[in-house]
Amino acid sequence: MGLKKPRSGADLRPIAERAYARDEAGLGVQLDDPDPALRRWAARDLASHPGAGRRLCARLLVESDPSVREALFTSAAQVGGHAVVDGILPLLRSEQPALRNGAIELLGGLPDVVAPRIQALLQDADSDVRIFTINLLGNLSHPGVPQWLVQVLAREDEINVIGAALEVLAEVGGPETLEPLRAVRARFGDNPFITFAADVAIERIGSA
Amino acid sequence: MKTEAVTAAPIITEADFKKFTEYFYRKTGIHFDDSKRYFVDKRLVDRIGATGAADFRAYFVGLRFETDGRELQNLINSMTVNETYFFRECYQFDCLVNHLLDEVVAGKRKGDRVRIWSIPSSTGEEPYSIAIYLLERWARIDDFEIEILSSDIDSKVLQAAQDGIYSTRSVAQLPKSYLNKYFTPCANGDWRISRDLVESVEFSRINLTEAGDTRRFRNIDVVFCRNLLIYFDDLSRRVAAEAMYDALNPGGFICLGHSESMSRISSLFRVRRFPDALVHQKPLEDRT
């Protein structure tokens, strides 16, 4: 015994007969298999099918196995495009933090497709969705981020949304955001949480 | 990134340093404290100059909002040291022979296979270091069939690994007795590794982010994937993590580079702390 070289690449895994076709339709059926191992492989294999975004996102809404979810998120991110963004945005309203966080991370990697949706998300009736959108902005590599955050400072009344925006602005804001920051500080002058967060942002941007 | 003319060396303020190191940590998991200020400042100034940004603020905005991640990659390259040599970061090899393999073989019978995957192989220093460690420091090596697989995307380095010729610098960390045992000196001062060691490692060319390349890698007990993921973008890191997860046996381990963390990439693995090293593990109860 001791060190031993595998005889050939085929030795690395046993050959198993496939129960499903390896095309998009077959993998779509496999996504609903009771065995999470098979669902996970289907999710991974669907990454190479550009039209699979809708299927992957639909499965995310019902999938309960964490390892399959992870593969679904990764494959959806690889597929990208409008169908995926359409399918992922509803997860911002999920009660499950793992789904919300996965959605925020995935959307953060699709800045060009997500950008046209930001205005609507920042005006969503649900303040939690507005906060998660700001969390998303913190992840988004897009030049519009500071301006969207400045709009939040000007329009928003919900303290927790403003607080989230201030936290992101402290990192991404430039000198052009100092005036809006001072304005929001004045508007919420009687709220110690906002004045503190605004002071931190102003101090960090001003001294940079 | 946008470029503007630069007339004087840019200044990195305390606030700039703090802002940059927080961002860099979030993106890469690499933390620089104040003691690394000179190191970080110098490289930042170099990158600001290379991109033609007017100052730190212009550079950071460009870095923060670039969509292709190219400058972040340039920055990572300049902030990390990409050097390979025998017994590099050997505390993880200590961990392998002192702890990981004992757990791995606890569920195996005498004569069973233990499979270790070293990726990237680069020019072979890591897989051969693992082989030497096992031969010299793991008492149970003869109880099991040990397979060492090693992969790289670069066919040239794979060929160099199989040629097995190394500089004096590359073997400098090896104990003299190991050097004499497993290498022979070349006329030009280089060292040639023993053909038995070359023959004991299965080399292959793969792209870790191509599912078609990685699908056949299964039933792995330990993966060494050190200082590779740091050079990937976020999505490629996740794809690579998925591939390694499916390659591993339940309970299998991943050793990453000292500045890398799987928990920043994927929630699939759990962190295990051993006396020698921190390692990531595929949960035992996993059924895939």
Side-chain angles (χ1 to χ4, degrees):
Chain A
M1 277 171 274
L3 298 184
K4 180 177 180 295
K5 203 167 184 171
R7 283 182 300 279
S8 75
D11 279 341
L12 292 179
R13 68 180 173 105
I15 304 298
E17 199 170 320
R18 293 188 63 85
Y20 300 92
R22 210 172 186 164
D23 56 17
E24 187 180 327
L27 292 169
V29 178
Q30 189 176 331
L31 264 189
D32 294 326
D33 191 280
D35 182 351
L38 287 178
R39 297 203 300 279
R40 189 176 147 75
W41 275 108
R44 286 194 62 199
D45 287 345
L46 280 168
S48 59
H49 293 272
R54 214 174 296 274
R55 263 184 221 277
L56 290 163
C57 296
R59 183 68 214 177
L60 263 173
L61 295 174
V62 296
E63 181 56 57
S64 58
D65 184 280
S67 75
V68 183
R69 266 191 192 172
E70 192 100 354
L72 287 165
F73 270 123
T74 303
S75 293
Q78 286 177 275
V79 171
H82 289 284
V84 165
V85 171
D86 286 341
I88 291 293
L89 281 176
L91 297 182
L92 291 180
R93 300 178 196 283
S94 171
E95 295 296 319
Q96 300 180 59
L99 280 180
R100 283 201 311 269
N101 293 338
I104 288 169
E105 191 176 331
L106 188 160
L107 293 169
L110 302 170
D112 294 335
V113 195
V114 169
R117 322 289 181 99
I118 295 296
Q119 291 282 10
L121 287 168
L122 289 175
Q123 293 174 50
D124 194 280
D126 184 343
S127 62
D128 282 344
V129 170
R130 302 202 296 280
I131 290 173
F132 299 141
T133 304
I134 289 166
N135 296 154
L136 163 62
L137 292 181
N139 253 355
L140 201 68
S141 294
H142 193 281
V145 170
Q147 193 51 41
W148 284 316
L149 293 168
V150 164
Q151 287 174 17
V152 171
L153 298 191
R155 293 179 191 160
E156 183 64 53
D157 292 321
E158 170 63 42
I159 297 294
N160 291 323
V161 182
I162 300 262
L166 289 171
E167 193 178 327
V168 180
L169 260 181
E171 181 187 297
V172 305
E176 73 285 358
T177 63
L178 285 172
E179 200 46 50
L181 281 166
R182 292 189 188 105
V184 83
R185 189 191 187 288
R187 184 155 71 97
F188 292 93
D190 58 350
N191 184 303
F193 167 55
I194 295 297
T195 53
F196 174 77
D199 286 343
V200 168
I202 290 166
E203 196 261 324
R204 287 190 65 177
I205 295 167
S207 63
Chain B
M1 291 180 67
K2 290 178 184 172
T3 58
E4 294 173 29
V6 176
T7 53
I11 293 170
I12 312 296
T13 67
E14 186 73 32
D16 294 339
F17 178 77
K18 188 166 166 29
K19 181 187 273 195
F20 169 74
T21 51
E22 284 178 7
Y23 174 73
F24 197 68
Y25 174 75
R26 212 170 59 243
K27 295 300 287 184
T28 67
I30 299 175
H31 172 68
F32 292 116
D33 60 23
D34 287 345
S35 69
K36 295 286 195 304
R37 179 77 194 267
Y38 175 78
F39 174 90
V40 171
D41 282 7
K42 184 173 185 317
R43 279 150 187 81
L44 272 176
V45 167
D46 287 348
R47 290 310 310 161
I48 291 169
T51 57
D55 53 20
F56 172 81
R57 187 193 299 280
Y59 176 76
F60 188 72
V61 168
L63 179 71
R64 187 66 181 66
F65 298 125
E66 66 173 352
T67 52
D68 61 8
R70 195 169 299 170
E71 181 51 26
L72 179 62
Q73 199 55 65
N74 287 332
L75 195 56
I76 288 169
N77 293 349
S78 74
M79 294 282 180
T80 52
V81 179
N82 185 20
E83 188 185 17
T84 181
Y85 48 85
F86 282 87
F87 284 26
R88 183 187 180 191
E89 295 180 18
C90 63
Y91 60 90
Q92 287 188 325
F93 303 139
D94 289 327
C95 188
L96 175 73
V97 296
N98 292 336
H99 303 284
L100 303 187
L101 287 175
D102 288 343
E103 285 202 20
V104 163
V105 301
K108 295 181 187 285
R109 288 171 303 183
K110 201 169 178 180
D112 279 354
R113 180 184 58 212
V114 174
R115 187 174 273 169
I116 299 170
W117 190 16
S118 161
I119 179 169
S121 108
S122 186
T123 40
E125 287 86 341
E126 181 175 277
Y128 294 139
S129 293
I130 293 169
I132 293 170
Y133 243 82
L134 293 178
L135 288 165
E136 295 293 331
R137 303 190 187 185
W138 193 46
R140 300 192 64 190
I141 186 168
D142 288 328
D143 291 344
F144 299 92
E145 288 190 351
I146 314 292
E147 291 180 1
I148 301 176
L149 316 174
S150 192
S151 307
D152 204 290
I153 195 170
D154 183 342
S155 56
K156 285 183 190 160
V157 298
L158 285 166
Q159 185 55 54
Q162 288 166 95
D163 291 344
I165 309 290
Y166 297 97
S167 67
T168 305
R169 182 185 169 87
S170 179
V171 299
Q173 299 299 318
L174 280 171
K176 198 79 180 164
S177 58
Y178 295 178
L179 187 62
N180 291 333
K181 186 172 179 180
Y182 295 107
F183 294 78
T184 50
C186 303
N188 66 353
D190 288 344
W191 294 85
R192 179 188 298 276
I193 200 164
S194 95
R195 292 319 292 174
D196 284 345
L197 278 183
V198 174
E199 293 303 322
S200 72
V201 178
E202 171 77 9
F203 289 99
S204 56
R205 201 213 73 87
I206 67 151
N207 179 349
L208 192 53
T209 62
E210 280 293 328
D213 284 3
T214 57
R215 180 181 299 277
R216 71 189 179 91
F217 288 83
R218 305 275 183 94
N219 306 119
I220 308 281
D221 294 299
V222 185
V223 174
F224 282 84
C225 183
R226 308 191 300 174
N227 308 304
L228 173 67
L229 300 182
I230 190 71
Y231 298 104
F232 287 10
D233 64 23
D234 291 346
L235 181 55
S236 300
R237 267 186 217 122
R238 288 187 55 134
V239 173
E242 301 282 357
M244 290 190 279
Y245 181 87
D246 286 327
L248 279 169
N249 282 325
F253 296 98
I254 295 186
C255 299
L256 298 178
H258 72 279
S259 64
E260 299 172 309
S261 168
M262 185 57 82
S263 47
R264 306 183 62 77
I265 302 168
S266 165
S267 58
L268 290 171
F269 302 89
R270 67 191 185 113
V271 176
R272 294 284 309 275
R273 287 178 192 279
F274 292 96
D276 302 306
L278 188 148
V279 175
H280 302 271
Q281 184 176 34
K282 178 173 176 173
L284 255 176
E285 63 273 21
D286 188 89
R287 288 169 293 172
T288 59

